[in-house]
Amino acid sequence: MALIVQKYGGTSMGSPERIKNVARRVAKFRAQGHQVVVVVSAMSGETNRLVALARELSKAPDPRELDVVVSTGEQVSIGLLVLALQDIGVAAKSYTGGQVKILTDNAFGKARILGIDEAAIRRDLAEDKVVVVAGFQGVDADGNITTLGRGGSDTTGVALAAALKADECQIYTDVDGVYTTDPRIVPEARRLDVITFEEMLEMASLGSKVLQIRSVEFAGKYKVKLRVLSSFEEESQGTLITVEENRNMEQPVISGIAFNRDEAKITVLGVPDQPGIACQILGPVAEANIDVDMIIQNAGRDGTADFSFTVSRNDLDKTVNVLDRVKAVIGAKAIEADKNLCKVSVVGVGMHSHPGVAARMFRALSEEGINIRMISTSEIKISVAIDEKYLELAVRVLHKAFDLDRPAL
Ligand code: ASP
Ligand code: MG
């Protein structure tokens, strides 16, 4: 007998028929002798509808009241699922976040979980009940309803699994796992059986469509065994997200190819090559709340340097404005912006013990005549900035160069 936390997303809960389907799946696990705690999202589209409704009444809704409104979608879901379970003879009980006492801070709209009182849930489980908990919501120390940010039900699921020391946290969604890359770009992309937490975080551009990234960080921190599965397929084992030790030693060096379309590059030309310049350029950028990704600096022979970095394309104009203001102070000759870049990354925990990954990556790109504009690396990732028009081509050749279209051993 195992204790399993299952989280069902909005699509899985999208209609009465689908809710019955979830109930049947939960009943199947119960019948196998497992204890089941279910976390549910609002029915698909419901949270958006509630947000829009609030905005019709107020241009800048009060965050506390907005949470009162948007948290209701999940309350409907828990009640409906328990009714569906009872209807097929499964004893079940619903809880809002506040009823469990999922204690959060008071950052409405993006609250963080501080603690979970699992006593009531344990009591119900001991009485052989299925416990159904509303995702996405909690309660602060003053009893205010809070929400955890869009996609937050995943985090509720993981947090409950951590608090209950569950054997597994299963996230049921409309895709059957995490893929080696986006199948819309590479039809040969394969579902990964296993991926580590670190890789999953690096693959955010692919993974964030599957799981709220915060839930992955949470699962990594508390070592929750996390599995992503489709609620529409019976057979697939989905993707297990786990710690490195649990990976198969035969696992390929590279797990996947991630990418991000909306990059822009800024170059500050001809700044004096002296201490403090990087900080004078990037300080004001950081103060304007702009995230900087890749950075390179090239010193010339004439005592000046060119300083380049990338930001998300949405932030480009803002960044140029900030730099225009400091240009004279830092003594820069010119500021250039290039907004047609993208970033492509190869990701894999195996690379730290396998030299030559970068060389293989650069060779594959050069054979297609793709010019690398910037490079950055971490322990488990190598990223290049390239012209956006080459994105699809680059993802395809790298997927092939690292044998990702072949089934794992
Ligand atoms: N219903 C919330 C949302 O749409 C939370 C979730 O689905 O995870 O963001
Ligand atoms: Mg989701």
Side-chain angles (χ1 to χ4, degrees):
M1 187 184 78
L3 170 55
I4 302 170
V5 174
Q6 300 189 327
K7 181 260 168 177
Y8 291 92
T11 318
S12 312
M13 294 291 292
S15 66
E17 216 28 70
R18 288 185 175 178
I19 294 175
K20 283 185 191 169
N21 207 31
V22 169
R24 276 193 290 269
R25 193 179 285 261
V26 172
K28 197 182 84 185
F29 279 87
R30 277 294 298 129
Q32 290 166 0
H34 302 306
Q35 294 183 317
V36 189
V37 174
V38 184
V39 173
V40 290
S41 290
M43 297 171 78
S44 57
E46 181 62 9
T47 308
N48 286 343
R49 189 184 73 84
L50 294 167
V51 171
L53 209 51
R55 290 200 193 285
E56 260 183 58
L57 292 153
S58 163
K59 274 202 192 65
D62 177 69
R64 179 188 185 276
E65 305 310 325
L66 187 60
D67 275 1
V68 170
V69 175
V70 300
S71 61
T72 58
E74 272 71 12
Q75 184 168 336
V76 171
S77 289
I78 54 173
L80 291 178
L81 179 57
V82 168
L83 293 176
L85 284 164
Q86 290 172 342
D87 197 57
I88 55 173
V90 178
K93 187 170 168 186
S94 71
Y95 284 86
T96 64
Q99 286 172 326
V100 173
K101 201 141 193 253
I102 297 180
L103 183 70
T104 72
D105 60 19
N106 62 0
F108 297 109
K110 49 175 192 298
R112 286 191 172 263
I113 297 176
L114 302 175
I116 292 181
D117 180 354
E118 73 305 340
I121 297 180
R122 292 236 186 253
R123 220 176 304 127
D124 290 335
L125 290 174
E127 288 171 12
D128 255 359
K129 286 188 188 122
V130 169
V131 177
V132 180
V133 179
F136 179 54
Q137 53 177 263
V139 64
D140 73 4
D142 298 324
N144 297 304
I145 296 172
T146 56
T147 66
L148 310 179
R150 298 305 304 267
S153 297
D154 294 338
T155 300
T156 307
V158 171
L160 272 171
L164 294 163
K165 301 193 176 52
D167 296 285
E168 190 164 300
C169 179
Q170 303 175 339
I171 307 274
Y172 287 91
T173 174
D174 47 1
V175 293
D176 70 335
V178 182
Y179 277 67
T180 47
T181 196
D182 187 338
R184 283 169 301 186
I185 294 185
V186 184
E188 297 79 23
R190 287 179 308 101
R191 179 177 55 77
L192 292 160
D193 290 329
V194 187
I195 185 172
T196 69
F197 293 110
E198 292 83 1
E199 289 171 328
M200 184 72 188
L201 293 175
E202 295 285 15
M203 302 259 278
S205 67
L206 308 167
S208 59
K209 288 171 207 128
V210 182
L211 277 181
Q212 194 199 34
I213 284 308
R214 222 168 106 192
S215 73
V216 180
E217 287 165 2
F218 206 104
K221 188 160 158 204
Y222 293 98
K223 302 232 172 350
V224 173
K225 203 170 149 197
L226 188 61
R227 192 183 290 279
V228 177
L229 315 116
S230 159
S231 54
F232 302 108
E233 275 171 52
E234 283 296 326
E235 298 313 323
S236 171
Q237 288 299 299
T239 300
L240 178 68
I241 305 164
T242 184
V243 290
E244 187 170 351
E245 297 86 78
N246 292 350
R247 278 168 103 243
N248 174 353
M249 296 296 284
E250 305 290 332
Q251 201 90 18
V253 177
I254 296 304
S255 293
I257 314 293
F259 58 86
N260 185 9
R261 229 173 252 289
D262 308 310
E263 303 274 330
K265 175 182 167 194
I266 294 185
T267 303
V268 186
L269 290 160
V271 292
D273 186 14
Q274 65 190 37
I277 278 296
C279 155
Q280 277 179 304
I281 295 173
L282 294 181
V285 174
E287 268 159 41
N289 253 326
I290 298 165
D291 268 332
V292 168
D293 185 17
M294 300 181 181
I295 303 171
I296 47 173
Q297 184 188 307
N298 262 325
R301 285 169 190 271
D302 59 350
T304 71
D306 296 339
F307 193 95
S308 305
F309 59 94
T310 60
V311 295
S312 128
R313 201 172 294 161
N314 292 332
D315 286 332
L316 179 64
D317 293 342
K318 200 166 140 195
T319 314
V320 171
N321 286 341
V322 169
L323 291 176
D324 274 339
R325 266 182 272 135
V326 294
K327 187 175 155 195
V329 186
I330 54 182
K333 293 208 180 73
I335 292 166
E336 283 176 358
D338 180 347
K339 62 170 184 247
N340 294 314
L341 287 187
C342 66
K343 181 170 79 171
V344 178
S345 313
V346 300
V347 177
V349 288
M351 74 170 68
H352 54 61
S353 53
H354 284 77
V357 172
R360 194 157 152 193
M361 177 181 194
F362 302 156
R363 190 178 321 115
L365 294 173
S366 82
E367 280 168 6
E368 296 295 332
I370 300 172
N371 192 23
I372 300 171
R373 311 279 299 279
M374 282 175 119
I375 300 169
S376 74
T377 65
S378 78
E379 281 265 287
I380 65 165
K381 177 173 87 162
I382 302 171
S383 303
V384 294
I386 58 174
D387 284 347
E388 196 198 348
K389 63 176 188 242
Y390 294 126
L391 183 126
E392 278 83 3
L393 178 62
V395 172
R396 250 180 252 128
V397 302
L398 292 173
H399 198 266
K400 198 161 183 158
F402 288 99
D403 293 330
L404 292 173
D405 31 16
R406 276 194 230 147
L409 296 171

